[in-house]
Amino acid sequence: MPESSVSPASLTFAVSLDAAPSEGTPDQPVDAVASEPPALLQETPQQEVQPLEGVAEGSQGAEFDPESSPEQRSLKDIPVKLKSQDTHFKLILPPEGELSCTWTELFQQIQVLLKGSDRLRESNVPVHLIAEDRLLDMRQLQAIADILKQSQLQLEQVETQRRQTAVAAATCGYSVQQVTRTDPLKSAPSQPLQLQEEPLYLQTTLRSGVEIRHKGTVIIQGDVNPGASIVADGDILIWGRLRGVAHAGAIGNPECVIMALDMEPTQVRIAGQVARAPQHSLPKPYPEVAYATPEGIRIAGAMDFQKVRQALADEQPEL
């Protein structure tokens, strides 16, 4: 029989039959006679199992966890960032155009980021939430504020491109800055266009410390308390009491106006002009309009404003 046809099992059996026991040695079972296997049986020695490449043995963090679900592992790919500024932190959420994820995944990633960040060494540091184009309601904003509070951080301002998010943030009492959406596929115009955003409507009372910024007209159905401020590139219309700071025409448009049902502002600004309210208050408040003239900011009754504006236009010299 050729050698290549002999199986290892038959070789083991043949060796056990030919081996003669020595004197004084008790007979051993057949399967224990050959304590060392023949040379032919040692062709494939057992190899030591090596760990996976790129994973250090005993390391934590880089070690692969087979029990973690795919959803938990995918959270690490959500690019939520926390950047430190001079006086505050910026919590930047990924735009919906770059990454689509559920609110639960986004909130869990914020939790992981706050727990693992080594920058949180000071307490009560204000945080500006950069929400980009993500749509957040009052419940979600409050959840973010609560998780920040657990890390001794305070949500102070919300910067967003969505009108609904701006309204929700202002209703919750946070400062709001609504920015313009940009389309990277469109080329920039040769000359900048002075176009305003659509009006921002808010049905709330602005408390002290709240600031609203908008690249258009701002309409408030409520009061503006002392310590609150509104900065708008367009007009400012307040269906309530104005006792804070209002700045209309922030980009330098002197044609903008500030109107309130009860005008008692801490300060009013139109374009580059600044004025304060009169020391005496009206016995019975009525709607008034603040407008800019070459001599400064003037206040007139809302019923008479159109006549005053027309008289100012008639006084302008013709070119």
Side-chain angles (χ1 to χ4, degrees), residues 64-108:
F64 177 76
D65 185 6
E67 296 181 357
S68 63
S69 61
E71 291 79 10
Q72 292 174 337
R73 294 195 299 269
S74 63
L75 290 177
K76 300 178 182 179
D77 299 330
I78 301 179
V80 178
K81 295 180 176 59
L82 185 66
K83 295 185 177 181
S84 176
Q85 301 295 320
D86 294 336
T87 58
H88 62 275
F89 285 129
K90 277 190 175 182
L91 181 61
I92 305 175
L93 305 184
E96 290 187 353
E98 295 182 3
L99 182 64
S100 177
C101 61
T102 64
W103 160 249
T104 301
E105 293 175 334
L106 186 65
F107 184 71
Q108 289 178 350

Side-chain angles (χ1 to χ4, degrees), residues 18 88-89 91 106 116 142 157 166 168 220-222 246 259 267 278:
D18 293 341
H88 62 275
F89 285 129
L91 181 61
L106 186 65
Q142 188 60 46
Q157 178 176 304
I220 304 291
Q221 186 177 351
M259 197 272 297
Q267 182 187 90

Side-chain angles (χ1 to χ4, degrees), residues 69-313:
S69 61
E71 291 79 10
Q72 292 174 337
R73 294 195 299 269
S74 63
L75 290 177
K76 300 178 182 179
D77 299 330
I78 301 179
V80 178
K81 295 180 176 59
L82 185 66
K83 295 185 177 181
S84 176
Q85 301 295 320
D86 294 336
T87 58
H88 62 275
F89 285 129
K90 277 190 175 182
L91 181 61
I92 305 175
L93 305 184
E96 290 187 353
E98 295 182 3
L99 182 64
S100 177
C101 61
T102 64
W103 160 249
T104 301
E105 293 175 334
L106 186 65
F107 184 71
Q108 289 178 350
Q109 178 63 14
I110 296 175
Q111 289 179 310
V112 173
L113 179 66
L114 294 177
K115 291 181 180 179
S117 179
D118 57 351
R119 304 178 182 178
L120 309 180
R121 300 178 180 177
E122 300 180 4
S123 59
N124 298 325
V125 178
V127 175
H128 293 184
L129 176 63
I130 312 300
E132 300 287 356
D133 59 347
R134 289 197 170 272
L135 184 61
L136 301 175
D137 55 23
M138 295 177 58
R139 176 184 58 85
Q140 295 168 339
L141 289 173
Q142 188 60 46
I144 295 176
D146 292 341
I147 193 63
L148 288 172
K149 190 175 182 180
Q150 294 179 11
S151 300
Q152 297 183 344
L153 299 176
Q154 182 179 0
L155 181 59
E156 182 181 80
Q157 178 176 304
V158 177
E159 180 178 317
T160 178
Q161 300 175 5
R162 302 292 293 268
R163 181 189 307 275
Q164 297 91 329
T165 303
V167 172
T171 304
C172 291
Y174 304 119
S175 299
V176 177
Q177 182 174 359
Q178 186 173 359
V179 297
T180 307
R181 296 187 183 185
T182 57
D183 189 353
L185 299 180
K186 294 182 178 180
S187 59
S190 56
Q191 296 181 354
L193 300 178
Q194 300 295 332
L195 298 180
Q196 295 184 4
E197 293 289 320
E198 296 181 0
L200 175 62
Y201 298 88
L202 298 176
Q203 187 176 359
T204 184
T205 294
L206 302 185
R207 301 192 299 265
S208 176
V210 176
E211 181 182 72
I212 304 298
R213 288 181 174 269
H214 181 57
K215 296 182 180 298
T217 296
V218 176
I219 302 175
I220 304 291
Q221 186 177 351
D223 297 337
V224 181
N225 291 341
S229 62
I230 304 174
V231 181
D233 292 354
D235 301 327
I236 297 178
L237 309 178
I238 301 172
W239 296 93
R241 301 179 66 184
L242 172 58
R243 295 188 294 168
V245 177
H247 184 187
I251 58 176
N253 185 3
E255 299 296 325
C256 295
V257 299
I258 300 173
M259 197 272 297
L261 299 182
D262 187 359
M263 184 81 72
E264 297 180 8
T266 305
Q267 182 187 90
V268 291
R269 300 182 62 182
I270 299 177
Q273 301 185 16
V274 184
R276 294 182 178 273
Q279 297 295 334
H280 60 279
S281 58
L282 298 176
K284 185 177 181 180
Y286 60 89
E288 292 181 302
V289 180
Y291 59 96
T293 68
E295 291 77 21
I297 296 178
R298 298 290 184 266
I299 297 179
M303 299 296 293
D304 303 327
F305 174 67
Q306 290 298 333
K307 297 179 180 179
V308 173
R309 176 62 65 90
Q310 185 62 40
L312 290 175

